[in-house]
């Protein structure tokens, strides 16, 4: 039973006007500041549909069973709030703070929670409750009294749900792109058809979860429990899995990176066609498309794959030193511990690629100047790339887009970061001795000395 239909359905909700709500909020604000006349906001079973609650502080407030249908709660503070079985369908909670909020049995169908903070939030089952005439809650006595939390068709891009409890919840057709799901409990949750591209599922628990048809390209799944998880038709191409997970029989039903039947011959033929395509300006040969292939550990030094399509390619530990890969599309690629030293990577697309521990010493990651009337500059795209502990000594990163990239512990000694975009990048523990950062954009960057 959906919480939108169930909680307190026998008791009408009292509709609040914006002015009535404002009065309650003022008293709650005084309560939060321990001022005289302050009263904790009690909005249980109230109808706040369509109201503008942007930026308000309702931390610790009681909103159990409240109807917040299509309410605007952008940037709101709802930390530790009681939203038990609340109706939050189509609500806008973008960048809201819901830390440790009680959302058991809540309905968030179609809600927007992009970049929201949902650390340790509780989205497990709730028990159907009603209110009696005195306003006290009592439990439903029938067998269908359990409310399942619902996040179906919600947009939760880039949100932080670390250590959240989402067991048994409906999370179908939900956009969780780039979400942080470290240690999140998804036991028996239904994630059918959801988009988990680029999300961080490190140490999450997906035991008995249903991920039928889900997209997990570029998702980090190291340490993630996948016992009896249903991966039927799930796309795991480009997902970061550890060796033990790769041996799991559960993955047999998933869509995984392909291997070539005759790798040496097949690769040689593709490269010859690609070189012909380059030399003829696209009039002959064929552009190389190695997307979703597993070429991990291969010796490919000096290879020319400029402008090739290499989306979701697995090149773990591969030798690509001195390779020519300018303007290549390597988004969502797995390049952990790959050797890309002195490689020509100008204008490359490494969006959401994993280059943890990779060697990019002396690599060229600057812009490419396209020979057109407009004189277009094609910048290297490393947005949200994972470069933790990577070697980038003397690398050319001029004008590169490194927004949201993880450079924690990376060695950038002598690197050129002039005019690079490091907005929101994580540089915790990065070595920047001798690095050039003239006109670099460093807003919201983490780990940079002030």
């Amino acid at each position: 039973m959906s919480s939108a239909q169930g909680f307190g359905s026998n008791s009408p909700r009292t509709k609040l006007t914006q002015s009535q709500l404002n009065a309650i909020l003022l008293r709650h604000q005084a309560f939060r500041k321990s001022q005289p006349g302050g009263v904790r906001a009690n909005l249980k079973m109230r109808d706040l549909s369509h109201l503008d609650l942007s930026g308000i502080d309702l931390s610790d407030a009681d909103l159990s069973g409240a109807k917040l249908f299509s309410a605007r709660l952008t940037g709101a503070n709802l930390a530790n709030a009681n939203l038990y079985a609340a109706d939050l369908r189509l609500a806008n909670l973008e960048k809201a703070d819901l830390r440790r909020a009680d959302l058991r049995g809540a309905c968030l169908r179609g809600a927007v929670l992009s970049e929201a903070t949902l650390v340790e939030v509780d989205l497990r089952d709730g028990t159907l409750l009603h209110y009696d005439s005195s306003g006290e809650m009592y439990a439903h006595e029938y067998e269908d009294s359990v409310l399942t939390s619902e996040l179906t068709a919600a947009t939760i891009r880039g949100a932080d749900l670390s250590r959240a409890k989402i067991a048994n919840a409906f999370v179908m057709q939900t956009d969780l792109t780039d979400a942080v799901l470290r240690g999140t409990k998804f036991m028996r949750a239904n994630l059918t058809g959801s988009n988990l591209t680029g999300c961080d599922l490190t140490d999450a628990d997906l035991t008995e979860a249903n991920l039928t048809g889900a997209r997990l390209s570029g998702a980090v799944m190291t340490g993630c429990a996948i016992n009896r998880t249903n991966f039927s038709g799930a796309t795991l191409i480009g997902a970061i899995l550890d060796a033990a997970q790769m041996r799991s029989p559960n993955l047999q039903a998933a869509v995984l990176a392909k291997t070539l039947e005759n790798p040496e011959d097949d690769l040689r033929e593709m490269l010859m066609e690609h070189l012909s395509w380059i030399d003829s300006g696209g009039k002959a040969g064929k552009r190389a498309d190695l997307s979703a292939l597993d070429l991990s550990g291969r010796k490919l030094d000096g290879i020319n794959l400029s402008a090739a399509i290499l989306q979701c390619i697995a090149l773990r530990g591969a030798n690509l030193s001195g390779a020519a890969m300018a303007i290549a599309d390597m988004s969502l690629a797995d390049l952990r511990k790959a050797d890309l030293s002195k490689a020509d990577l100008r204008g490359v697309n490494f969006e959401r690629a994993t280059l943890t521990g990779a060697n990019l010493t002396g690599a060229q990651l600057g812009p490419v100047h396209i020979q057109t009337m407009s004189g277009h500059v094609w910048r290297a795209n490393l947005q949200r790339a994972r470069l933790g502990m990577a070697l980038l000594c003397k690398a050319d990163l001029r004008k590169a887009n490194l927004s949201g990239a993880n450079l924690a512990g990376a060695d950038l000694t002598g690197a050129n970061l002039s005019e690079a975009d490091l907005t929101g990048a994580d540089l915790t523990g990065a070595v920047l001795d001798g690095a050039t950062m003239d006109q670099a954009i460093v807003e919201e960057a983490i780990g940079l000395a002030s």
Side-chain angles (χ1 to χ4, degrees):
M1 181 183 292
S2 165
S3 59
Q5 301 167 332
F7 188 111
S9 56
N10 295 339
S11 304
R13 293 180 176 90
T14 305
K15 179 71 176 176
L16 285 186
T17 64
Q18 189 76 50
S19 59
Q20 289 173 321
L21 176 62
N22 290 342
I24 292 172
L25 293 176
L26 278 173
R27 289 194 294 273
H28 184 71
Q29 188 177 13
F31 163 78
R32 295 284 300 150
K33 295 179 179 178
S34 301
Q35 294 174 343
V39 179
R40 185 197 303 271
N42 182 355
L43 295 162
K44 61 184 181 184
M45 294 301 292
R46 298 298 181 92
D47 188 350
L48 308 170
S49 299
H50 308 290
L51 292 183
D52 189 352
L53 304 164
S54 301
I56 52 93
D57 184 356
L58 276 171
S59 51
D60 296 303
D62 187 355
L63 291 140
S64 52
K67 186 172 183 179
L68 291 146
F69 179 81
S70 197
R72 185 172 177 81
L73 290 145
T74 53
N77 183 358
L78 292 157
N80 297 299
N82 182 0
L83 287 152
Y84 189 99
D87 180 0
L88 286 153
R89 290 173 298 158
L90 301 180
N92 189 341
L93 289 142
E94 191 171 357
K95 296 184 178 179
D97 187 349
L98 288 143
R99 255 174 279 225
R100 294 176 298 279
D102 185 353
L103 282 156
R104 286 174 297 160
C107 185
L108 289 140
R109 192 184 312 144
V112 177
L113 292 132
S114 295
E115 298 183 53
T117 302
L118 295 131
V119 174
E120 297 180 2
V121 76
D122 195 344
L123 274 153
R124 294 173 296 174
D125 293 337
T127 302
L128 182 58
L129 302 175
H130 295 294
Y131 286 90
D132 60 20
S133 57
S134 65
E136 294 300 314
M137 290 189 293
Y138 64 93
H140 199 291
E141 297 178 357
Y142 303 107
E143 292 181 2
D144 63 350
S145 61
V146 175
L147 291 171
T148 302
S149 299
E150 186 179 342
L151 285 159
T152 299
T155 302
I156 316 178
R157 297 174 68 93
D160 188 349
L161 290 108
S162 298
R163 301 181 302 282
K165 302 179 184 76
I166 313 181
N168 300 310
F170 290 114
V171 199
M172 299 175 291
Q173 301 292 332
T174 298
D175 188 353
L176 284 152
T177 302
D178 298 322
V180 180
L181 305 166
R182 298 175 71 92
T184 303
K185 307 297 184 186
F186 280 109
M187 296 86 75
R188 299 173 300 282
N190 190 342
L191 290 141
T192 302
S194 286
N195 186 357
L196 292 100
T197 300
C199 67
D200 186 353
L201 281 155
T202 304
D203 298 328
D205 192 343
L206 287 165
T207 302
E208 297 184 15
N210 185 357
L211 283 113
T212 301
R215 284 173 283 170
L216 289 135
S217 296
V220 178
M221 300 180 68
T222 52
C224 182
I226 57 171
N227 302 324
R228 299 181 298 282
T229 306
N230 185 355
F231 286 110
S232 299
T235 302
L236 287 163
I237 298 169
I240 309 302
L241 298 155
D242 54 37
Q245 290 169 323
M246 290 299 292
R247 293 191 293 270
S248 173
N250 298 2
L251 298 184
Q252 292 178 3
V255 181
L256 299 166
K258 305 184 291 287
T259 55
L260 296 171
E261 290 185 15
N262 302 296
E264 302 300 330
D265 294 341
D266 292 346
L267 268 178
R268 188 182 301 111
E269 184 178 342
M270 279 192 278
L271 288 172
M272 287 177 64
E273 287 286 308
H274 186 67
L275 287 174
S276 177
W277 178 78
I278 291 172
D279 293 339
S280 67
K283 295 178 181 177
K286 185 180 180 183
R287 184 184 189 185
D289 188 345
L290 306 178
S291 298
L293 284 180
D294 191 345
L295 299 174
S296 297
R298 293 205 160 270
K299 186 175 171 59
L300 300 166
D301 50 310
I303 197 170
N304 189 345
L305 282 168
S306 298
I309 304 170
L310 307 163
Q311 295 174 349
C312 296
I313 192 170
L315 287 160
R316 293 184 308 279
N319 183 356
L320 291 153
S321 59
M325 305 175 86
I327 320 181
D329 185 354
M330 302 184 77
S331 53
L332 297 165
D334 182 358
L335 289 148
R336 286 173 288 170
K337 296 186 177 179
D339 185 356
L340 289 152
S341 56
K342 297 183 179 178
D344 181 359
L345 298 164
R346 290 171 299 149
V348 73
N349 183 11
F350 272 145
E351 185 172 0
R352 296 192 181 90
T354 302
L355 296 117
T356 308
N359 182 3
L360 292 130
T361 302
Q364 299 176 53
L365 287 148
V368 171
H369 295 273
I370 308 298
Q371 299 300 317
T372 62
M373 294 292 290
S374 62
H376 180 68
V377 175
W378 196 295
R379 301 183 180 206
N381 182 13
L382 292 94
Q383 188 175 15
R384 292 189 176 272
R386 302 180 182 110
L387 291 147
M389 305 304 293
L391 297 176
L392 288 151
C393 307
K394 297 183 179 178
D396 182 3
L397 289 152
R398 285 174 299 129
K399 297 187 178 182
N401 180 4
L402 287 151
S403 59
N406 184 352
L407 290 148
D411 190 345
L412 288 149
T413 304
N416 189 347
L417 290 154
S418 299
E419 298 182 62
D421 186 352
L422 290 154
T423 304
D426 186 353
L427 289 143
T428 306
V431 181
L432 290 159
D433 295 344
T436 305
M437 299 186 68
D438 295 341
Q439 299 181 58
I441 303 169
V442 294
E443 294 176 15
E444 298 180 23
I446 303 166
L448 272 181
S450 55

